[in-house]
Amino acid sequence: MHDEPTPLGCDPADLAWVESTVKQAGTSFAAGMRILPPMRRYGMYAIYAFCRVVDDIADGLAPLAERTQALEEWHKKIAHLYQDRLETPHEPLERVLLAAIPFFALQQADFDAIIDGMLMDTASPIVAPDEKTLDLYCDRVAAAVGRLSVRIFGECSDEGNKVAYHLGRALQLTNILRDLPEDAARGRLYMPSDLLDRFNVPHDPVKALTAPGLQEVTKIIAARAQDHFTTAFVTMKLCRPRTMLPARIMGASYETVLKNLRKRGWGPDVLRQRPESSTVGKVYALACSYLP
């Protein structure tokens, strides 16, 4: 029993668990979460912790069959949270999710989409996908997270879902552009096959890194990401300003990463250099996100 009410009515130890997961990850999204009131903040912590857990499974060193099974188990865990809310789960993350799901009207389909996105990475490494597959992947691993997030922020409108659509794609394409060498080491290459073929870039993830045409491919993907950022920020103006502030902070932080990547380029000599984003740059990007 607790003398004082806690966010989402959860045990303080369970709340501490999801919060520590966010802190240990050192995510750039933490700033956007911290400005939220406690109820919404811990809801976001739970969403991030869920994404961290399933992502770690997908990128883990366990045999493929074990990783696939572990992700399928999460499909069952999520289904259980929606089907039998009277039975208390055994794990802290599941208990916080159990409280957050009805409070914020979170959709099961979005949790399932995130897991399915991770399964796309585990079934076999994604190499030179077609455009439709790349977009589906971005929707599952990023836009679905956005759809859950905007509900926690307090924006359940169609415009909120459009923000999730565009911002999710902007963030994931930026991730792909940033992580090209790391993905290649895992046998992955998320650049679309039609662009690779247009600029004579081999579909082999490692060989692609030194292909002269890679610069042109990445420039096109970077322009797409920037268009999604721009559309997301414009759409945010159709939502309630306060609900979109966390999304603006998260988006501005990542837009700075994209701008620094475009400035650095994707030549073989700089590909492994991680561009650093200054606080001033992030604040400037946040201010610019309000402009027409």
Side-chain angles (χ1 to χ4, degrees):
M1 297 292 291
H2 308 291
D3 294 331
E4 298 292 334
T6 60
L8 297 170
C10 293
D11 187 296
D14 292 344
L15 297 175
W17 191 94
V18 294
E19 182 175 9
S20 68
T21 301
V22 174
K23 290 182 176 179
Q24 289 171 16
T27 174
S28 58
F29 293 155
M33 297 184 206
R34 282 196 296 269
I35 69 167
L36 292 165
M39 201 79 74
R40 300 186 190 279
R41 183 167 69 248
Y42 280 100
M44 277 305 303
Y45 285 166
I47 297 302
Y48 183 88
F50 164 75
C51 293
R52 183 77 270 154
V53 167
V54 294
D55 187 60
D56 285 347
I57 293 172
D59 287 342
L61 300 177
L64 172 61
E66 291 183 18
R67 285 181 285 145
T68 301
Q69 182 180 357
L71 289 170
E72 292 292 356
E73 282 297 318
W74 264 105
H75 269 309
K76 295 177 183 178
K77 291 177 181 179
I78 293 298
H80 184 73
L81 295 180
Y82 281 86
Q83 293 167 1
D84 188 1
R85 292 175 178 167
L86 296 179
E87 183 176 340
T88 303
H90 298 295
E91 300 298 326
L93 173 55
E94 293 170 64
R95 289 194 289 267
V96 181
L97 287 174
L98 180 66
I101 284 169
F103 192 89
F104 297 110
L106 304 179
Q107 301 300 298
Q108 182 177 350
D110 292 325
F111 286 104
D112 285 334
I114 295 168
I115 298 168
D116 287 336
M118 301 303 162
L119 284 166
M120 290 176 73
D121 272 326
T122 58
S124 61
I126 296 178
V127 178
D130 58 37
E131 294 280 5
K132 184 177 180 180
T133 300
L134 175 60
D135 189 69
L136 176 63
Y137 179 75
C138 290
D139 191 81
R140 286 175 169 177
V141 301
V145 181
R147 291 191 290 271
L148 293 171
S149 299
V150 294
R151 285 179 173 271
I152 291 177
F153 297 159
E155 187 64 61
C156 299
S157 64
D158 289 342
E159 286 75 17
N161 284 332
K162 290 177 184 176
V163 170
Y165 177 96
H166 290 289
L167 190 57
R169 282 160 175 77
L171 299 181
Q172 191 58 34
L173 291 177
T174 300
N175 276 337
I176 289 170
L177 291 165
R178 182 194 64 193
D179 297 339
L180 274 169
E182 292 85 348
D183 289 334
R186 294 189 176 104
R188 300 171 182 169
L189 177 62
Y190 294 98
M191 298 289 106
S193 57
D194 64 328
L195 290 181
L196 294 174
D197 293 340
R198 187 192 308 177
F199 295 101
N200 299 312
V201 178
H203 290 196
D204 180 280
V206 175
K207 291 179 180 179
L209 299 181
T210 55
L214 182 65
Q215 287 269 27
E216 298 306 315
V217 175
T218 51
K219 286 179 182 178
I220 292 173
I221 297 300
R224 289 185 191 177
Q226 186 59 63
D227 286 345
H228 281 301
F229 275 121
T230 300
T231 304
F233 289 134
V234 169
T235 308
M236 288 178 193
K237 296 176 182 178
L238 304 177
C239 304
R240 290 176 294 160
R242 178 174 289 186
T243 64
M244 284 293 104
L245 181 56
R248 280 190 181 277
I249 293 173
M250 295 173 184
S253 177
Y254 252 66
E255 187 182 29
T256 303
V257 173
L258 178 64
K259 288 180 177 179
N260 289 339
L261 285 169
R262 297 178 86 175
K263 182 178 180 180
R264 182 207 69 182
W266 286 271
D269 56 329
V270 298
L271 198 56
R272 288 176 172 79
Q273 296 177 9
R274 285 266 179 159
E276 296 185 2
S277 302
S278 67
T279 301
V280 173
K282 293 177 182 178
V283 172
Y284 177 75
L286 178 60
C288 289
S289 76
Y290 286 94
L291 301 176

